[in-house]
Amino acid sequence: MIEKSKPIITPLVAVDTVILTVHNNKLCVLLAKIKFGPFKGMHGIPGGRVKIDETLENAAKRELLEKTGLTDVYLEQLYSFGSIKRDPSVRIVSVSYFALVNSNEVELKSTGKYAEITWCPVHKLETLAYDHNTIIKYALFRLKNKIRYTNIMYSLLPNKFTLSDLQKMYELTLEKKLDKRNFRKKIMSSHLIKESGIEEGVSHRPSKLYSFKSNHPVYVEIF
Amino acid sequence: MIEKSKPIITPLVAVDTVILTVHNNKLCVLLAKIKFGPFKGMHGIPGGRVKIDETLENAAKRELLEKTGLTDVYLEQLYSFGSIKRDPSVRIVSVSYFALVNSNEVELKSTGKYAEITWCPVHKLETLAYDHNTIIKYALFRLKNKIRYTNIMYSLLPNKFTLSDLQKMYELTLEKKLDKRNFRKKIMSSHLIKESGIEEGVSHRPSKLYSFKSNHPVYVEIF
DNA sequence: CCAAAAGTGTTGGGGATACACCCATGA
DNA sequence: TCATGGGTGTATCCCCAACACTTTTGG
């Protein structure tokens, strides 16, 4: 399987992962400051070469684990980008993924290749390395659509949450206010979540807590 | 950019294209009989390695041109498949595309790598080479969804067509009968097509001909 | 009793579905 | 005049959007 003494005439394969969360009441993406190469000093989403003996998804999971310490989150392949000069130094095809994480469960870790790692609001992005602005836009587009007919919000929220929490997630993602009564009707009629206790220690009427029935993707019309 | 005397430790990159059409009143996929390699003798969708100096989309267009002689058809990236053993002899990541063509405009051409090329009804598929059954299923899923909110049927039909022709395309793709009156109302209110003459030489009331206003993808809610 | 967020019902309009008959043409 | 497919309108239902007040708790 391994050929020797041949020039590389194939594009290389990398995986780039758009890791999204809600942090400080804003939809954010995980960015890393790049230490080496043509985009040294710029920020970008984490990524790296796919090893010969790992699947694309496993490469994305490896990246995710390194940067966030998380394993069981929603992860989905987005699109493959193959412009010839997206990396000016070498021909790389990037298979992009997007992940949804709950920022409270994450401790950001820098690793060898990156200088620092931060959450950056998706609507205040500087110019990023490679074609990463494009990739993030694509991820946001996909996310906006997908929350209308799946339960993938489970991956953005803690296990138990209030309906107001959930509504806020939808509002931040869709970038618009939603009507509270209609929102609740739709969510409840989707049967994706179940009651799961009562909030405590708040100085107002305590809300019911809910949790998703499934922590795996389920497809149902919601909106 | 080209490194010498190093073992290849990166997966190779290929493009596989699901070419769909309506032929003999059935939704069909273009299959090719494979001449060489581990799947010799089996059928599969056309594909091949991506060259170092061509984009993914251009690789798919090249494949399409070779097999069908067509250039200006609807072509969209589907998904990238990267199982480690999808090709048992070498690690290949396949970026899949799907295309819609009008079978009347196509003359199928065999080329070096493939023994024969045929249209095969998508619901009568044998077991194909690689993971090509999976890829085709994925393409059909995408197509079924996409015709509900885009004009991509333009690529499956001749330039001028009747509303009955169009309805038949939808029915074959969605695998269900549609109500004629409601279908026409929805299509007309989408404003995607325009009147374009009258049918001639039929032994019944001649139908109006229509054509798509745009032969490029347009997104509009239809169904 | 006040502040703060939770929780809850009704109405009206628009779009989708269901359904059946007349029309234009060639043979 | 008949066979063939082309072409059209209406009634109903359901879903969605719009909208404001009461409830519960802690301080």
Side-chain angles (χ1 to χ4, degrees):
Chain A
M1 193 184 313
I2 294 180
E3 305 174 35
K4 283 186 186 168
S5 306
K6 264 193 176 179
I8 293 181
I9 53 156
T10 180
L12 305 180
V13 182
V15 161
D16 289 312
T17 307
V18 181
I19 303 171
L20 297 172
T21 200
V22 170
H23 188 64
N24 292 338
N25 239 10
K26 295 193 189 71
L27 188 62
C28 292
V29 59
L30 187 151
L31 293 185
K33 191 165 185 176
I34 297 168
K35 271 188 188 168
F36 313 112
F39 292 98
K40 180 178 165 177
M42 295 182 77
H43 287 88
I45 58 176
R49 295 272 298 278
V50 176
K51 298 186 196 305
I52 191 84
D53 59 353
E54 76 183 343
T55 62
L56 298 170
E57 184 167 318
N58 281 341
K61 282 182 178 168
R62 177 167 53 79
E63 207 66 50
L64 189 66
L65 179 62
E66 277 177 17
K67 301 297 174 296
T68 68
L70 296 176
T71 52
D72 283 319
V73 301
Y74 183 69
L75 180 70
E76 170 185 331
Q77 191 189 109
L78 264 185
Y79 198 79
S80 295
F81 295 86
S83 302
I84 292 165
K85 287 293 177 193
R86 54 183 300 284
D87 183 327
S89 64
V90 60
R91 177 72 199 286
I92 295 196
V93 169
S94 162
V95 183
S96 61
Y97 278 78
F98 90 97
L100 299 178
V101 308
N102 174 1
S103 62
N104 295 325
E105 300 171 10
V106 173
E107 203 185 332
L108 299 180
K109 294 174 205 154
S110 295
T111 56
K113 189 172 168 183
Y114 300 109
E116 56 184 62
I117 295 198
T118 55
W119 291 120
C120 179
V122 294
H123 297 113
K124 290 181 189 168
L125 291 179
E126 67 216 272
T127 298
L128 303 175
Y130 306 97
D131 46 7
H132 287 184
N133 292 86
T134 305
I135 298 179
I136 292 170
K137 268 186 214 154
Y138 200 91
L140 294 174
F141 177 77
R142 180 79 64 93
L143 176 63
K144 273 193 192 186
N145 286 302
K146 207 126 191 186
I147 59 173
R148 294 177 170 272
Y149 59 91
T150 70
N151 66 342
I152 62 174
M153 282 289 186
Y154 74 81
S155 197
L156 220 39
L157 283 158
N159 243 315
K160 298 189 177 191
F161 52 86
T162 68
L163 289 182
S164 297
D165 293 338
L166 182 59
Q167 183 174 345
K168 188 176 288 172
M169 292 290 169
Y170 272 91
E171 290 177 340
L172 290 171
T173 306
L174 296 173
E175 297 177 90
K176 64 176 179 189
K177 287 278 171 200
L178 300 173
D179 179 85
K180 183 161 61 160
R181 285 159 291 190
N182 293 334
F183 177 79
R184 285 164 186 239
K185 268 179 280 183
K186 279 186 235 180
I187 289 294
M188 295 319 285
S189 68
S190 77
H191 301 291
L192 291 174
I193 64 176
K194 58 170 193 269
E195 286 194 30
S196 193
I198 302 271
E199 200 180 20
E200 286 177 10
V202 288
S203 75
H204 54 78
R205 176 172 176 175
S207 62
K208 289 181 185 171
L209 296 174
Y210 292 84
S211 56
F212 279 92
K213 289 183 187 169
S214 170
N215 277 7
H216 293 281
V218 174
Y219 288 70
V220 183
E221 284 299 326
I222 305 171
F223 290 95
Chain B
M1 193 183 314
I2 295 181
E3 305 174 36
K4 284 186 186 168
S5 307
K6 265 195 175 179
I8 295 180
I9 54 155
T10 180
L12 306 180
V13 182
V15 161
D16 288 311
T17 306
V18 180
I19 303 172
L20 297 171
T21 199
V22 170
H23 188 64
N24 292 339
N25 239 10
K26 296 193 190 71
L27 188 61
C28 293
V29 59
L30 188 152
L31 292 184
K33 192 166 188 176
I34 297 168
K35 272 187 186 169
F36 312 113
F39 293 99
K40 178 179 167 177
M42 295 182 78
H43 287 88
I45 58 176
R49 295 272 299 276
V50 175
K51 299 185 195 306
I52 191 85
D53 59 352
E54 75 182 345
T55 62
L56 298 170
E57 184 166 320
N58 281 341
K61 283 183 178 167
R62 177 167 54 77
E63 207 65 51
L64 189 65
L65 179 62
E66 277 178 16
K67 303 296 176 295
T68 67
L70 296 176
T71 52
D72 283 319
V73 302
Y74 182 69
L75 180 69
E76 170 184 330
Q77 191 188 110
L78 266 184
Y79 197 78
S80 295
F81 295 86
S83 303
I84 292 166
K85 288 293 178 192
R86 53 182 300 283
D87 183 326
S89 64
V90 59
R91 177 73 199 285
I92 295 196
V93 169
S94 163
V95 183
S96 60
Y97 278 78
F98 90 96
L100 299 177
V101 308
N102 174 2
S103 61
N104 294 325
E105 300 171 10
V106 173
E107 204 184 332
L108 298 179
K109 293 174 205 155
S110 295
T111 56
K113 189 172 170 184
Y114 299 109
E116 56 183 63
I117 296 198
T118 54
W119 291 120
C120 180
V122 293
H123 297 113
K124 291 182 188 167
L125 291 180
E126 66 217 272
T127 298
L128 303 175
Y130 304 96
D131 47 8
H132 288 184
N133 292 86
T134 306
I135 298 180
I136 292 170
K137 268 185 215 154
Y138 200 92
L140 294 174
F141 176 77
R142 180 81 64 93
L143 176 64
K144 272 192 192 185
N145 285 303
K146 207 125 191 186
I147 59 173
R148 294 176 172 272
Y149 58 93
T150 69
N151 66 342
I152 62 175
M153 281 288 187
Y154 74 81
S155 197
L156 219 40
L157 283 158
N159 243 314
K160 299 190 176 191
F161 51 87
T162 67
L163 289 183
S164 297
D165 292 339
L166 183 59
Q167 183 174 344
K168 188 175 291 172
M169 293 290 169
Y170 272 91
E171 290 177 340
L172 290 171
T173 306
L174 296 174
E175 298 178 89
K176 65 176 179 188
K177 287 279 171 198
L178 300 174
D179 180 85
K180 182 162 60 161
R181 285 157 293 188
N182 294 333
F183 176 79
R184 284 166 187 238
K185 268 181 282 185
K186 279 185 235 182
I187 289 295
M188 296 319 285
S189 68
S190 76
H191 301 293
L192 290 174
I193 64 176
K194 58 172 192 266
E195 286 194 29
S196 193
I198 302 272
E199 199 180 22
E200 286 179 10
V202 288
S203 76
H204 54 78
R205 176 172 175 176
S207 61
K208 289 181 184 171
L209 296 174
Y210 291 84
S211 56
F212 279 93
K213 288 183 186 169
S214 170
N215 278 6
H216 294 281
V218 174
Y219 288 71
V220 182
E221 284 299 327
I222 304 172
F223 289 95

